[in-house]
Amino acid sequence: MSGSGQESTHRTIERVARESYGRLVAYLSSHTRDVASAEDALSNALVAALTTWPQDGVPQNPEAWLLTSARHSFIDLVRHRRVAEASEPTLLLLREEAEEMTLSPEFPDERLKLLFVCAHPAIDPAMHTPLMLQTVLGLDAVRIAHAFLVSPTTMGQRLVRAKTKIRDGGIQFEVPQERELAQRLDAVLEAIYAAFGIGWDEMAGVDQRGRDLAEEAIWLARVLLRLMPREAEVRGLLALMLHCEARRPARRGPDGRYVPLSEQDPRQWSLPLIEEAERHLVEASSRGRTGRFQLEAAIQSVHAERARSGRTEWKAIMLFYEQLIGISATLGTRTGYAAAVGEANGPQAGLAVLDGIDPDDVSDYQPYWAVRAHLLQRLGKTSQAGNAFERAIGLAEDPAVRQFLLQRRG
């Protein structure tokens, strides 16, 4: 195969891996009860594809090819561990499926089951979200570690222990009964939103990897909603993500520059996504069980109203933040509240909220310093604002955001 042909094949393999990783791991895991081995088997299948496809061509159904290859690899992995007797039921199950999978390349999507497996109470609650991000959405330990502010080595070790707990603890791969479903729901919602947040930060308006992850998170929320249509927080999460997704086209200018929400052109926002978000939010509100995601979605709903009214009702946003702090007083929530207070009641009032946050908590929190710089600048405190801008610029990872802050500082 020519160099250009090999490059095209490699791109196809990368795309299939990106789009199918979670489905394949979830399907293999649900039938083998061994997440780590399923991941190893799929990795081997991807390596085999890199060798075989450039020579033989991309198969008609790449996903089925990878599944078949991964299944054979899993059997080999079990045999090499010299535990064939203990694993005989798994081996028999995989062999029985071989003919069926050959005849029908379609297979069920088991990712929702795996989400609830990862949220099992026997697993360390601190590992619920990282485990879901890796096994269901295919994020590597480095990206997850970065999001959770730990070293990749530490995160990798924790993930291995969690997967071992699933295998050795005999945790069932099934959607739990209604009572257990509610107990694990919060962890599942947190993981889906964490995935959306990572994708949102990464895509910067153009990064396909981040865009895929954000879209995958929205898809998982839709699947979860079909399973639990009466759960208000499921609708709240979906509404929140749809409101954010609606503004994706406006986040960057034609030249790639960062455009803050307050300066975005509402005509670029997706009206169908906003309308869908509003329907879910209204339905969630009718349940009479207000939660974190509903309140965050309500804040985004007020911002979306600017497309119709031409103004932002900061008093309403401030009130929603006050309710949100009562439920989830995270650093992000308190910083957002300070920004809203600064817009509604003046910059001095906003600074007073920021001053109430423990300095040790915000030393490395970029949004805090960006808001602080903005409020100090509005008060004309040039020197203090400059120092805050320096901190915000130094902590900003997105080059476009750094450039925006440099311009604001000037």
Side-chain angles (χ1 to χ4, degrees):
M1 182 179 289
S2 67
S4 60
Q6 286 188 339
E7 183 179 346
S8 176
T9 300
H10 288 170
R11 284 199 301 269
T12 299
I13 295 172
E14 290 175 2
R15 178 184 57 77
V16 173
R18 186 174 64 241
E19 295 174 353
S20 305
Y21 183 91
R23 279 194 73 204
L24 291 167
V25 168
Y27 183 80
L28 288 165
S29 300
S30 68
H31 289 74
T32 63
R33 314 296 193 266
D34 189 340
V35 176
S37 294
E39 290 177 324
D40 290 342
L42 182 55
S43 295
N44 291 340
L46 289 168
V47 170
L50 286 170
T51 303
T52 305
W53 293 6
Q55 297 176 356
D56 300 344
V58 177
Q60 186 174 2
N61 191 323
E63 199 173 46
W65 190 99
L66 288 173
L67 180 58
T68 300
S69 179
R71 188 181 61 247
H72 292 321
S73 178
F74 187 92
I75 293 173
D76 290 339
L77 286 170
V78 172
R79 285 172 174 157
H80 289 160
R81 289 174 186 155
R82 300 179 183 276
V83 290
E85 182 178 351
S87 302
E88 191 61 29
T90 296
L91 292 172
L92 287 173
L93 178 61
L94 289 169
R95 290 194 195 104
E96 289 169 0
E97 289 181 341
E99 181 178 353
E100 176 186 345
M101 288 305 301
T102 301
L103 295 174
S104 175
E106 300 300 324
F107 56 96
D109 196 321
E110 305 282 21
R111 280 176 289 184
L112 199 58
K113 287 183 182 178
L114 188 52
L115 277 173
F116 281 100
V117 167
C118 294
H120 195 281
I123 298 171
D124 178 4
M127 290 307 298
H128 286 165
T129 295
L131 190 58
M132 292 183 224
L133 290 175
Q134 185 173 74
T135 59
V136 180
L137 292 162
L139 274 68
D140 58 40
V142 174
R143 291 168 76 192
I144 299 171
H146 180 74
F148 285 83
L149 305 178
V150 299
S151 73
T153 300
T154 299
M155 180 56 71
Q157 292 169 344
R158 293 175 181 173
L159 287 166
V160 168
R161 286 197 295 269
K163 293 169 193 174
T164 301
K165 183 73 173 182
I166 292 173
R167 183 191 65 204
D168 297 344
I171 296 175
Q172 294 299 307
F173 277 71
E174 58 188 12
V175 175
Q177 298 299 314
E178 187 170 352
R179 181 177 59 83
E180 294 180 343
L181 200 63
Q183 294 173 350
R184 300 189 209 176
L185 178 60
D186 286 347
V188 172
L189 294 176
E190 289 290 346
I192 292 174
Y193 189 47
F196 182 82
I198 293 171
W200 185 252
D201 290 339
E202 283 184 349
M203 69 182 168
V206 295
D207 188 328
Q208 185 61 45
R209 182 176 65 167
R211 180 172 300 197
D212 289 342
L213 187 57
E215 290 176 350
E216 191 83 344
I218 291 174
W219 181 87
L220 285 170
R222 293 189 193 280
V223 174
L224 188 59
L225 181 60
R226 288 199 294 271
L227 177 69
M228 309 177 75
R230 295 192 299 273
E231 283 293 338
E233 277 293 82
V234 176
R235 289 189 184 275
L237 173 59
L238 182 54
L240 170 60
M241 294 191 296
L242 289 172
H243 267 306
C244 294
E245 184 71 5
R247 297 196 293 267
R248 181 200 290 176
R251 294 182 68 208
R252 292 290 187 271
D255 55 356
R257 66 181 179 84
Y258 169 74
V259 182
L261 175 57
S262 61
E263 298 178 14
Q264 290 175 13
D265 182 356
R267 291 173 298 182
Q268 291 183 275
W269 297 346
S270 170
L271 186 59
L273 288 180
I274 291 174
E275 291 175 344
E276 183 187 356
E278 289 299 304
R279 289 195 298 271
H280 288 301
L281 189 55
V282 169
E283 178 63 26
S285 300
S286 71
R287 301 290 174 182
R289 297 189 301 274
T290 302
R292 169 199 164 190
F293 291 116
Q294 293 170 71
L295 288 170
E296 291 196 31
I299 290 169
Q300 299 307 318
S301 175
V302 177
H303 281 298
E305 182 64 15
R306 180 162 67 88
R308 185 188 65 82
S309 67
R311 63 180 184 276
T312 301
E313 297 292 346
W314 286 106
K315 289 280 188 183
I317 291 175
M318 185 182 73
L319 292 174
F320 281 130
Y321 265 119
E322 288 176 356
Q323 295 181 63
L324 187 56
I325 287 175
I327 295 175
S328 176
T330 65
L331 188 54
T333 298
R334 296 171 71 186
T335 301
Y337 175 58
V341 170
E343 296 295 336
N345 297 336
Q348 193 63 57
L351 279 174
V353 176
L354 290 180
D355 289 339
I357 302 176
D358 188 335
D360 292 337
D361 293 340
V362 299
S363 59
D364 295 326
Y365 188 59
Q366 195 272 347
Y368 172 91
W369 294 104
V371 171
R372 189 173 190 86
H374 172 67
L375 295 175
L376 286 167
Q377 191 175 60
R378 286 180 59 193
L379 287 171
K381 297 183 177 182
T382 308
S383 177
Q384 294 179 53
N387 292 334
F389 270 119
E390 288 294 333
R391 294 288 291 273
I393 292 166
L395 292 168
E397 297 181 358
D398 186 337
V401 172
R402 283 199 299 272
Q403 185 61 36
F404 168 80
L405 291 171
L406 282 165
Q407 292 173 346
R408 281 296 167 92
R409 182 188 63 178

